[in-house]
Amino acid sequence: QKTSIQTIGEEQIQNPYTELLVLKGHQDIVRFLVQIDDCRFASAGDDGIVFLWNAQTGEKLLELHGHTQKITAIAPFSSSDASEEKKHLIVTASADRTVIVWDCSTGRQLQKVSCFHSTVKCLTVLQRLDVWLSGGSDLCVWNRKLDLLCKTSHLTDAGISALVELPKNCVATAVGKELIIFRLIASDDESEGWNVQEVKRLADHQDNILSLVSVNDSTFVTGSHVGELIVWDALDWTKQASECNFWDSAVHPDVQPEIKLSQTPNETSVQHLTSDEECVFAAVGKGIYVYNLQMKRVIACQRNAHESSVLHIEKLPNRQLISCSEDGSVRIWELREKQQLPAEPVPTGFFNMWGFGRANRQANQAAKKVQENTPMYFLELVGDLIGHSSAVQMFLYFGELGLATCSADHLIILWKDGERESRLRSLTLFQKLAQNGDLPQLKF
Amino acid sequence: MISAPDVVAFTREEELEDELYSEPPLPEEYSVPLFPFASHGANPWAKVANSKFTRDFILISEFSEQVGPQPLLTIPDDAKVSGTFDLNYFSLRIMSVDYQASFVGHPPGSAYPKLNFVEDSKVVLGDSKEGAFAYVHHLTLYDLEARGFVRPFCMAYISADEHKIMQQFQELSTEFSKASECLKTGNRKAFASELEKKLKDLDYTRTVLHNETEIQKKSNDKGYYTTQAIEKANELASVEKSIIEHQDLLKQIRSYPYRKAKESNFHPYEPECTLDQVDGGCDPELTTSDLSEPGEMQLYTHVPSYTPKLIKAKSAKCFDKKLKTLEELCDIYFFTQTLDQLHQIERTFRGDVCYLLTEQISRALLKQQSVTNFLFEDVSFLDEKPPEKQHRGCQGLSQDAVDKKCSEESPTPKVVINLGSYKSSVESVPIKMEQEIEDSQEPKLPDSITFEHQENLDYLDADLKGSISSGESIEVLGTEKSASGLTKSESQASLPISSSPQASRSKVGSRRTVSEDSIEVLSTCPSESLIPEDFKASYPSAINEEPYVDDEEGLRFTPKLNPDDTDEQDDISKQENLVQVDSACCIGKESPNFLEPLPELGQKPCDEDGVVRIPPQPYRQVEQGLRGSFGGFPSHDGISGGLLPYELDSRYLTGSREVSKSSLDECSDSTSYISSAASTCSDRTPSPAHHCQASERHKKKAGQNALRFIRQYPFAHPAIYSLLSGRTLIVLGEEEAMVKRLVTALSIFVPNCSLYAKPVKHWVTSPLHVVDFQKWKLIGLQRTVSPGGVNVLHALSRYSRYVSILDADSKTLRCPLYKGTLVSRLADHRTQIKRGSTYYMHVQSILTQLCSKAFLFTFCHHLHLPISEREPEESVVSRRMNFLKLQLGLANEDIKIVQYLAELLKLQYIQEPGQGVNPLLRFDYVPSFLYKI
């Protein structure tokens, strides 16, 4: 039985992206995109090179060479010295066990540290404290000059996979199945020194924690490989709510066994989490789920949003959601409210459109569930972007400048609003005409 | 495309005649008055009765000192070409109008022979008996064994069409000058190395003789010299003299290229850097040092492999020896280069003159449309310097490598723009004066140079006594100089004018010192007018008379005397104009060249300031010009003002034939005029494109295929719409030939995205990516059944939103709907057009219209930007759509075509010069439909 994936066809009125620019440069999979400022972004990947691009023109601004192996983490870092103008830096970590701080305006290497025992897998900048943290087999705290302020003892060989800042100088780290909370304590002897102290270990997840996201000052969320989503209180680190296997069709007792067999763990793993104030958006397997924090339940989902795993998901300001997947496509969704009378029977076709439709029985199950939850939301596909020939690893939303996507096919594609670009080109054209002084007097 | 030369295409006999006669009447816009004798099977392009050759060809002849004028080779090298035409006879003719009278040898009052750096002369002559007209380019090459060290040669472009020769005179002159310069550069090299060898021989001989004399002296105890000894001593003395002579010659030949280089448009031909020591020309310092040293020492280091021979006192009589061939004279490399150039000339000027002119006009017009011309035209040739008037002075072949190399090696500054014509008989050689000073301090070479100045003057006097020697039936119809005036303003503009009066004075002085080069004053060409005024006065020569002032009042120009350097050039150009009139009068008002300078006097050349070059349809206008009434001449600005100067074309097209007729009438009194030759085409070969024959053939073929396509496929319109709106069209098929044919056919509808690359890929076998759609707008794709083929198809379905797919095997098309009207005019399957080239022209003219619409749309400010700051975007959009629909009359999808072209124009215009256009892919989310036959 084939799962039906929603398609939109060739007519996409709401899809603004009618122009694309292919940015070539990388020699291997491009895994990371980070925004530097309003019109610049950096890309990094398995070739160990960092490129800086102009998001408007697609111009390659700088090539940063320094790492010998693939880049494992990248974080933008803007210095906020009151005296000088804002300086944009980026920190990159690589599998060659080095971390480099780059100057984005010159492309120079400012600092390089190579005293790590293992690969640094995550980097977090704590702007407030003016320090940054690196997470590998241990957690290190650095100041801006790249002096090691303090470090934890060796935690695990697997290392820290995710790192998020919490209030009260705390950080949450995902180490395997465990969630460890550390607190930074200002050391007494030195003015700049910090000590790091383990505060709590939380072992509620059944499997490795893959994603960790901070929702607001009082909440953060974790997702694991087997599809558990836990909402934590950011202050006392208690479990506020959890959804276990709620998207796993295996929980339904009457599910057909062949489906169960085909259910690989990957299809339920929480690949990526993002959130706004109200909801957490989870990329789980091939699907997208919207979990409402207040209602503490999933309010909308697309079980088969993509043909294969969704790798990255992002919420746009305009109730839209963008997801990218291993199938090489990027899809734009809109979260819409659908007022449904509870008494009205739900036709099966309706669910089919959602991507629920596996079997009638299952649909009925879902229908019952849905009927309880009013108002109803659903994710409507408003457009898809086909350009990459391989998995789209990540994307970066630049507002009206467009969307940058990076992929395993070594390319970065800048998707742009064709109308806007055309208008901008006209503007440039007439500016240039005026400059050249041969503005034609054509007025109609 | 602008000047649709459909007339030519239609009447040219290039395809089946039957087809031509059976076809239905032409649409109104193509109708031309029929040739009155068409019913008798004759056509105006029929072969002239008395021309004995089948097509134009190039003849190289030599005035051999042994056998007299003889033909050496023809291009194309095919006996059929010249047919029954008597090459020997014609060689005699063309060689007998050599005005150079190149004087070499021992001038009176000089101890040593002097080389003359003779300028080429260029004349047009006609032979009424043979029905042949020729552009003749005389040149001399140096040969140590030849009499006076020179061998006169000439290259002639021979055609049965007099008009072609006359109207293409400048172009021919330019091209042949290149060829000639190539030959001469090679010849100087060869001559220099020959001289070096000879010097070594002489030196060796001297040593041998010296030793013998010593031995004789020793053995001689009688106290008096034997006759034998005296003889030996004489012999030794003559060898010594010979050495000095040859050294002097070597110095002269080496000094030449540098002198030329001073003229800044001279590009000596330097194939290998290893060779240039021999030539020694590119580096002036090296030359100077070379010359200031005694020659022998370094000569040995140069060519160590050469073993000197003993030279007998009495050399063999010249009739016994075999003269060097042209190839030997010129160094094989240069010889082949020249042949290439000549072949190029032959290809360029092949065909009907009407066609050539049309081609030139449309090129000139196309050049003006600098903003839009890249879209559908091959504009790469516009970057080349067109073979037009301002181009004449170009030296050497325009090969980038050579030029680059020269500019690298030569420290002399080169002005990129050609400075008028190097034919000016004046040359500035400041370095030479330095040499004189240096050399005069050098004890070893005392005489030859110090006398030079005086000698030169002597030469001039002697030279001037030479005169025109033309055969009875040969008429000089036109001469080179008549258009020299054209270049003057350009040369003024580009010449680094030295403001100091001192500099100008020294220039004049140096010119005089090298006036040995102004041999050319002998010719009737107005080259004499290039002699500075004051210099001229001292010549009582009959050639320098100025007789034509009285009867041509209309051409009297009040001399505007500026006290700066440009004065001289002004004078020269004025004189040239006078001379032009003169020559024109003499030759039956046929010169095409003097038409243009007349209205242009004191103006810049038209191409520079964007004024349309006046089409060469000039005869009545010339008359007007000659009568001094300039009012009737069309204003250039008026023509250039319009976007699409169609009126110009029609005027020209109708003009050509009348012109030839009127010229017939006007010139009927001229005994020299060969009436039967008027407006004939000398060959049956298809007229080539001015630049690339291959592209012309390609156009024709593409046109044919496109015609076939639109007749064969009912869904041709949406396919063409896809191409015009920038949606990549993929032609999918198993058979490569068929796919390529379709791609060729459709390629004429593909707008170019940038100046150079045409976004067409004829054959691809691997799966496509999004990058390909960015780069290519028309792709031929292989369909295979192999697993790889599955990938190809998979990629195609994945990216189906960006492409239209034409399946050549199953004859289906998958693409968006088209409901516009534009394409139906472009590709009407019921079209009356039968010929590929005609259809190509048709397409081009419609596309040009489209371009002008796109241009208008792009450059209307208010269509894209708000008039006031508060104006909402919506009103701009509605204004834009109104403009497209109402003003431009576009319907439905046609709007998208113009919008796409406008985007291309914008991208091209705002592109920064350094970087290329950012390749971006624009697309629409529109549904596709499947079309079947």
Side-chain angles (χ1 to χ4, degrees):
Chain A
Q1 188 186 348
K2 289 226 168 169
T3 56
S4 61
I5 169 165
Q6 190 180 352
T7 53
I8 185 167
E10 283 173 325
E11 202 162 4
Q12 301 176 10
I13 302 155
Q14 290 185 71
N15 188 344
Y17 300 110
T18 54
E19 196 172 300
L20 65 83
L21 263 171
V22 178
L23 313 184
K24 285 191 256 187
H26 282 286
Q27 311 290 320
D28 208 334
I29 299 174
V30 193
R31 291 188 191 271
F32 304 101
L33 295 173
V34 286
Q35 183 165 357
I36 295 164
D37 53 22
D38 287 343
C39 66
R40 284 187 299 168
F41 67 94
S43 66
D46 288 2
D47 55 3
I49 309 168
V50 180
F51 286 95
L52 259 61
W53 308 90
N54 182 326
Q56 171 57 38
T57 62
E59 188 189 348
K60 190 192 292 172
L61 301 171
L62 287 170
E63 264 180 60
L64 312 180
H65 292 271
H67 289 297
T68 55
Q69 287 183 46
K70 68 178 186 178
I71 288 170
T72 51
I74 181 167
F77 187 10
S78 65
S79 71
S80 47
D81 280 350
S83 56
E84 51 190 280
E85 55 188 302
K86 206 171 181 185
K87 207 172 174 185
H88 294 284
L89 310 173
I90 44 175
V91 190
T92 56
S94 159
D96 60 7
R97 296 185 187 178
T98 59
V99 167
I100 300 179
V101 179
W102 308 87
D103 183 344
C104 291
S105 52
T106 61
R108 276 188 299 122
Q109 262 185 38
L110 296 181
Q111 310 279 347
K112 181 170 182 174
V113 186
S114 48
C115 61
F116 295 96
H117 299 297
S118 68
T119 301
V120 174
K121 288 184 179 166
C122 46
L123 293 165
T124 299
V125 177
L126 306 183
Q127 289 288 358
R128 195 165 41 86
L129 304 178
D130 206 22
V131 295
W132 58 273
L133 312 174
S134 68
S137 59
D138 49 13
L139 183 72
C140 303
V141 182
W142 310 81
N143 70 3
R144 188 142 37 129
K145 294 184 193 119
L146 228 64
D147 300 323
L148 180 62
L149 300 177
C150 56
K151 62 188 279 186
T152 63
S153 56
H154 183 81
L155 296 166
T156 161
D157 286 335
I160 298 168
S161 60
L163 189 64
V164 71
E165 184 186 1
L166 297 178
K168 295 198 206 165
N169 293 356
C170 289
V171 287
T173 56
V175 183
K177 297 175 189 177
E178 278 186 320
L179 195 65
I180 307 177
I181 312 290
F182 291 98
R183 174 171 280 156
L184 293 173
I185 301 162
S187 64
D188 304 326
D189 42 341
E190 284 174 59
S191 58
E192 215 193 0
W194 293 92
N195 279 324
V196 63
Q197 186 184 6
E198 185 180 321
V199 183
K200 192 157 190 176
R201 280 189 187 236
L202 305 161
D204 294 76
H205 277 291
Q206 305 295 313
D207 205 340
N208 287 340
I209 298 169
L210 294 182
S211 46
L212 175 62
V213 64
S214 165
V215 177
N216 52 35
D217 276 353
S218 59
T219 321
F220 70 97
V221 188
T222 53
S224 80
H225 192 62
V226 290
E228 304 150 307
L229 181 103
I230 300 179
V231 184
W232 304 89
D233 189 307
L235 296 170
D236 57 8
W237 318 298
T238 53
K239 197 153 101 176
Q240 286 190 332
S242 74
E243 282 281 347
C244 288
N245 298 332
F246 62 96
W247 34 68
D248 189 356
S249 47
V251 297
H252 302 293
D254 48 359
V255 81
Q256 284 145 1
E258 61 266 25
I259 294 176
K260 206 173 183 176
L261 283 175
S262 69
Q263 203 91 32
T264 61
N266 256 349
E267 293 193 19
T268 59
S269 71
V270 181
Q271 302 280 354
H272 188 243
L273 288 170
T274 185
S275 73
D276 59 5
E277 284 296 307
E278 295 171 22
C279 300
V280 173
F281 305 92
V284 182
K286 296 175 184 174
I288 302 170
Y289 294 82
V290 183
Y291 180 84
N292 190 295
L293 288 169
Q294 275 172 347
M295 290 187 257
K296 297 195 175 176
R297 62 179 177 82
V298 172
I299 55 164
C301 71
Q302 273 290 350
R303 204 172 276 266
N304 283 296
H306 283 271
E307 283 168 35
S308 65
S309 294
V310 180
L311 295 177
H312 195 85
I313 185 168
E314 204 78 62
K315 170 79 168 53
L316 307 191
N318 53 358
R319 289 190 76 77
Q320 283 187 342
L321 202 59
I322 299 181
S323 62
C324 68
S325 150
E326 278 180 356
D327 64 8
S329 69
V330 177
R331 293 186 156 212
I332 307 166
W333 308 88
E334 193 165 291
L335 187 63
R336 288 189 184 161
E337 197 170 321
K338 184 129 186 171
Q339 282 294 311
Q340 186 95 27
L341 294 174
E344 196 178 309
V346 183
T348 334
F350 175 74
F351 295 101
N352 275 333
M353 197 185 79
W354 282 18
F356 271 93
R358 292 182 183 235
N360 269 346
R361 269 180 296 176
Q362 187 193 337
N364 285 339
Q365 283 283 342
K368 274 178 210 155
K369 203 167 188 175
V370 167
Q371 275 169 353
E372 295 160 17
N373 311 328
T374 48
M376 259 178 33
Y377 293 91
F378 68 101
L379 285 169
E380 164 112 351
L381 181 64
V382 294
D384 62 346
L385 307 176
I386 309 276
H388 290 291
S389 57
S390 185
V392 182
Q393 297 288 338
M394 196 181 173
F395 60 87
L396 199 59
Y397 178 70
F398 260 98
E400 60 174 5
L401 283 188
L403 185 75
T405 57
C406 67
S407 157
D409 61 5
H410 311 176
L411 299 178
I412 298 164
I413 298 184
L414 261 182
W415 303 84
K416 294 183 159 287
D417 180 349
E419 289 284 311
R420 181 179 176 272
E421 294 301 310
S422 171
R423 215 159 47 236
L424 285 177
R425 277 194 287 269
S426 281
L427 196 63
T428 320
L429 175 97
F430 288 109
Q431 277 166 357
K432 192 167 177 183
L433 273 174
Q435 262 174 27
N436 297 355
D438 48 10
L439 192 68
Q441 295 300 306
L442 295 172
K443 283 175 185 170
F444 290 87
Chain B
M1 95 184 177
I2 301 151
S3 59
D6 292 322
V7 187
V8 183
F10 174 63
T11 38
R12 231 169 40 204
E13 36 173 38
E14 60 171 274
E15 276 169 34
L16 293 172
E17 293 294 314
D18 303 351
E19 195 186 354
L20 192 132
Y21 291 116
S22 65
E23 71 188 32
L26 278 174
E28 189 57 38
E29 62 263 34
Y30 297 114
S31 71
V32 284
L34 285 174
F35 186 62
F37 311 107
S39 54
H40 309 301
N43 70 46
W45 282 269
K47 184 181 171 185
V48 187
N50 59 352
S51 82
K52 291 171 181 158
F53 47 95
T54 53
R55 55 186 279 196
D56 295 8
F57 64 98
I58 294 171
L59 171 68
I60 300 183
S61 306
E62 186 200 355
F63 200 113
S64 162
E65 61 191 60
Q66 292 174 350
V67 297
Q70 59 167 353
L72 296 180
L73 56 96
T74 61
I75 292 166
D77 192 12
D78 184 0
K80 271 184 286 180
V81 167
S82 52
T84 56
F85 187 67
D86 189 347
L87 289 178
N88 281 310
Y89 174 74
F90 204 74
S91 295
L92 173 67
R93 296 281 150 146
I94 57 179
M95 289 313 288
S96 57
V97 285
D98 183 6
Y99 301 117
Q100 295 172 97
S102 40
F103 174 82
V104 191
H106 291 253
S110 153
Y112 303 109
K114 296 297 293 181
L115 283 182
N116 279 297
F117 296 112
V118 182
E119 300 295 343
D120 300 351
S121 81
K122 305 161 184 187
V123 293
V124 170
L125 60 85
D127 189 323
S128 46
K129 235 186 278 174
E130 297 283 325
F133 296 87
Y135 164 86
V136 187
H137 193 108
H138 293 281
L139 68 152
T140 51
L141 299 177
Y142 302 113
D143 183 354
L144 202 51
E145 289 152 25
R147 189 170 57 201
F149 305 130
V150 290
R151 308 253 310 257
F153 286 89
C154 86
M155 301 179 287
Y157 184 88
I158 301 166
S159 167
D161 186 2
E162 178 189 0
H163 288 273
K164 185 194 282 188
I165 302 291
M166 298 311 290
Q167 298 186 349
Q168 303 296 312
F169 184 84
Q170 283 311 322
E171 289 79 1
L172 282 168
S173 163
T174 308
E175 298 302 315
F176 273 101
S177 295
K178 288 184 203 165
S180 158
E181 199 49 49
C182 183
L183 269 185
K184 289 197 287 189
T185 310
N187 173 242
R188 280 193 297 275
K189 264 191 194 350
F191 186 61
S193 65
E194 197 188 354
L195 272 172
E196 285 172 6
K197 284 181 189 169
K198 184 73 182 273
L199 273 173
K200 272 182 246 170
D201 291 346
L202 286 169
D203 195 55
Y204 177 71
T205 312
R206 182 178 61 183
T207 320
V208 171
L209 282 174
H210 190 74
N211 287 346
E212 284 175 6
T213 323
E214 288 301 309
I215 292 163
Q216 275 184 352
K217 268 187 196 161
K218 277 183 197 155
S219 61
N220 174 24
D221 43 4
K222 290 171 192 164
Y224 58 91
Y225 292 106
T226 60
T227 47
Q228 213 178 5
I230 291 166
E231 207 172 275
K232 276 276 183 265
N234 281 341
E235 211 173 304
L236 191 58
S238 79
V239 169
E240 298 274 7
K241 183 166 175 273
S242 188
I243 286 175
I244 294 169
E245 280 176 11
H246 281 84
Q247 278 170 348
D248 184 49
L249 282 174
L250 185 61
K251 190 172 62 65
Q252 289 179 47
I253 194 78
R254 279 183 171 167
S255 68
Y256 175 82
Y258 180 65
R259 294 206 245 160
K260 277 298 183 188
K262 277 273 130 181
E263 286 174 50
S264 77
N265 59 340
F266 173 70
H267 304 290
Y269 225 81
E270 292 298 324
E272 305 291 336
C273 43
T274 50
L275 286 175
D276 69 357
Q277 288 284 302
V278 182
D279 198 88
C282 272
D283 189 347
E285 286 174 36
L286 195 132
T287 312
T288 319
S289 63
D290 274 1
L291 292 172
S292 55
E293 282 174 33
E296 298 95 319
M297 263 167 58
Q298 47 147 196
L299 287 178
Y300 285 119
T301 61
H302 278 318
V303 197
S305 58
Y306 181 69
T307 42
K309 298 187 293 277
L310 189 67
I311 293 176
K312 298 227 177 75
K314 301 281 181 233
S315 63
K317 280 276 170 252
C318 64
F319 290 104
D320 303 336
K321 71 186 176 212
K322 184 182 165 291
L323 284 172
K324 287 194 186 66
T325 63
L326 190 56
E327 209 169 326
E328 289 164 341
L329 273 179
C330 299
D331 181 313
I332 183 72
Y333 172 82
F334 290 97
F335 182 71
T336 47
Q337 287 288 326
T338 309
L339 283 191
D340 288 349
Q341 166 73 0
L342 291 177
H343 276 288
Q344 178 63 35
I345 293 174
E346 195 273 327
R347 274 197 299 275
T348 306
F349 292 96
R350 187 188 286 180
D352 193 276
V353 64
C354 171
Y355 189 83
L356 291 177
L357 291 172
T358 313
E359 197 66 28
Q360 283 164 10
I361 289 168
S362 50
R363 204 167 51 245
L365 290 173
L366 199 56
K367 206 170 181 180
Q368 287 200 309
Q369 302 185 317
S370 53
V371 177
T372 56
N373 59 13
F374 73 94
L375 280 176
F376 292 103
E377 299 287 340
D378 178 22
V379 287
S380 49
F381 69 82
L382 290 179
D383 287 350
E384 303 169 16
K385 279 228 161 186
E388 279 161 12
K389 273 83 179 171
Q390 68 267 34
H391 196 232
R392 276 182 311 137
C394 182
Q395 307 294 308
L397 299 189
S398 58
Q399 285 192 348
D400 291 343
V402 173
D403 283 0
K404 207 163 76 192
K405 191 158 168 295
C406 278
S407 59
E408 278 164 7
E409 288 188 351
S410 163
T412 55
K414 285 205 168 63
V415 181
V416 181
I417 305 167
N418 292 303
L419 296 183
S421 150
Y422 82 96
K423 278 197 66 64
S424 69
S425 49
V426 285
E427 289 183 323
S428 46
V429 198
I431 195 85
K432 187 161 181 199
M433 296 175 147
E434 289 166 29
Q435 284 170 12
E436 281 181 45
I437 296 162
E438 273 182 42
D439 289 342
S440 60
Q441 289 161 352
E442 192 74 40
K444 292 197 177 176
L445 298 166
D447 293 340
S448 61
I449 299 161
T450 42
F451 284 161
E452 195 167 78
H453 187 87
Q454 181 206 329
E455 283 163 19
N456 288 339
L457 292 178
D458 289 341
Y459 292 165
L460 274 172
D461 257 354
D463 292 345
L464 283 167
K465 283 164 191 130
S467 187
I468 317 156
S469 58
S470 52
E472 305 128 315
S473 69
I474 289 181
E475 301 82 25
V476 177
L477 296 176
T479 49
E480 212 274 320
K481 279 305 150 89
S482 42
S484 306
L486 253 193
T487 53
K488 53 122 189 173
S489 45
E490 185 176 321
S491 54
Q492 275 173 10
S494 53
L495 201 70
I497 291 172
S498 62
S499 51
S500 88
Q502 188 127 26
S504 74
R505 219 179 297 130
S506 74
K507 227 192 225 165
V508 172
S510 60
R511 276 173 186 155
R512 288 193 187 174
T513 60
V514 291
S515 52
E516 57 179 354
D517 280 2
S518 54
I519 283 306
E520 229 210 325
V521 290
L522 293 178
S523 73
T524 50
C525 317
S527 56
E528 72 264 37
S529 63
L530 293 172
I531 302 169
E533 193 75 346
D534 50 347
F535 199 30
K536 222 181 197 179
S538 63
Y539 287 93
S541 164
I543 294 162
N544 281 321
E545 66 192 350
E546 300 179 13
Y548 19 77
V549 288
D550 289 325
D551 41 330
E552 297 295 339
E553 277 299 324
L555 284 165
R556 295 290 281 156
F557 302 100
T558 39
K560 201 174 76 189
L561 292 166
N562 301 322
D564 58 8
D565 269 351
T566 58
D567 236 0
E568 194 171 90
Q569 285 166 320
D570 278 342
D571 282 354
I572 290 166
S573 67
K574 275 175 206 134
Q575 287 165 17
E576 280 167 4
N577 280 306
L578 295 176
V579 175
Q580 285 159 16
V581 176
D582 177 50
S583 60
C585 288
C586 299
I587 61 163
K589 298 157 184 74
E590 286 284 326
S591 166
N593 306 309
F594 75 103
L595 305 168
E596 295 184 57
L598 287 181
E600 285 290 324
L601 278 172
Q603 293 177 21
K604 294 246 171 196
C606 23
D607 277 3
E608 252 177 25
D609 48 9
V611 177
V612 178
R613 178 175 295 281
I614 288 294
Q617 47 124 358
Y619 295 86
R620 276 159 300 171
Q621 287 162 6
V622 170
E623 285 305 302
Q624 283 167 359
L626 286 171
R627 303 281 168 263
S629 59
F630 285 77
F633 212 87
S635 145
H636 291 191
D637 296 339
I639 294 165
S640 67
L643 272 172
L644 294 168
Y646 281 128
E647 64 275 13
L648 195 77
D649 313 333
S650 57
R651 202 165 49 111
Y652 169 67
L653 280 171
T654 53
S656 173
R657 288 258 297 283
E658 293 171 32
V659 161
S660 54
K661 273 185 212 145
S662 68
S663 65
L664 260 174
D665 298 338
E666 280 156 24
C667 308
S668 54
D669 58 336
S670 164
T671 49
S672 64
Y673 196 80
I674 295 116
S675 53
S676 59
S679 83
T680 53
C681 175
S682 54
D683 63 17
R684 263 32 93 203
T685 49
S687 289
H690 208 85
H691 280 266
C692 182
Q693 208 184 2
S695 87
E696 185 72 2
R697 216 179 293 129
H698 168 81
K699 282 179 190 172
K700 205 175 106 186
K701 207 175 125 207
Q704 274 166 358
N705 287 338
L707 258 183
R708 202 171 298 139
F709 173 76
I710 60 171
R711 293 212 176 97
Q712 198 177 348
Y713 292 84
F715 47 72
H717 290 182
I720 292 169
Y721 162 67
S722 281
L723 291 172
L724 287 176
S725 60
R727 187 182 174 108
T728 301
L729 180 73
I730 289 169
V731 181
L732 186 66
E734 278 178 48
E735 195 190 328
E736 183 173 355
M738 180 166 72
V739 170
K740 279 189 172 170
R741 199 162 52 235
L742 272 172
V743 170
T744 312
L746 289 164
S747 65
I748 63 174
F749 302 106
V750 180
N752 292 333
C753 298
S754 65
L755 280 175
Y756 296 104
K758 187 109 182 150
V760 175
K761 184 92 179 159
H762 282 79
W763 188 244
V764 173
T765 54
S766 55
L768 296 169
H769 290 285
V770 73
V771 186
D772 298 315
F773 311 130
Q774 202 172 241
K775 213 187 313 176
W776 310 113
K777 295 298 171 194
L778 176 59
I779 304 174
L781 184 65
Q782 184 185 35
R783 180 209 301 274
T784 51
V785 285
S786 66
V790 174
N791 282 339
V792 168
L793 292 182
H794 177 74
L796 217 51
S797 73
R798 179 178 177 81
Y799 297 117
S800 63
R801 68 179 56 179
Y802 305 121
V803 294
S804 300
I805 301 163
L806 176 65
D807 191 325
D809 300 326
S810 62
K811 304 248 186 292
T812 59
L813 173 72
R814 191 186 163 282
C815 78
L817 205 61
Y818 175 72
K819 298 193 295 287
T821 55
L822 211 146
V823 176
S824 58
R825 268 189 291 146
L826 192 63
D828 183 4
H829 67 276
R830 288 165 305 184
T831 179
Q832 308 282 356
I833 299 170
K834 288 277 195 293
R835 283 156 194 274
S837 49
T838 316
Y839 182 67
Y840 184 82
M841 304 281 181
H842 169 69
V843 169
Q844 289 285 288
S845 70
I846 288 190
L847 292 180
T848 306
Q849 267 181 322
L850 199 55
C851 286
S852 64
K853 282 180 179 172
F855 175 83
L856 216 52
F857 175 66
T858 314
F859 285 89
C860 283
H861 181 273
H862 297 159
L863 299 179
H864 304 278
L865 301 173
I867 295 171
S868 66
E869 281 183 20
R870 285 187 306 274
E871 194 181 23
E873 181 60 29
E874 291 77 41
S875 79
V876 179
V877 171
S878 73
R879 190 162 56 229
R880 185 157 61 221
M881 292 317 282
N882 270 338
F883 179 83
L884 287 167
K885 283 177 185 159
L886 304 176
Q887 253 85 11
L888 296 184
L890 299 169
N892 305 323
E893 278 78 18
D894 292 342
I895 289 174
K896 283 205 180 141
I897 297 179
V898 171
Q899 280 175 332
Y900 173 67
L901 296 181
E903 288 305 317
L904 292 180
L905 290 180
K906 281 186 218 170
L907 281 170
Q908 183 66 33
Y909 192 86
I910 64 179
Q911 170 203 4
E912 294 301 320
Q915 62 215 47
V917 177
N918 253 343
L920 51 84
L921 177 65
R922 287 175 62 81
F923 49 90
D924 293 309
Y925 297 104
V926 288
S928 289
F929 295 88
L930 190 69
Y931 294 85
K932 287 176 186 161
I933 283 185

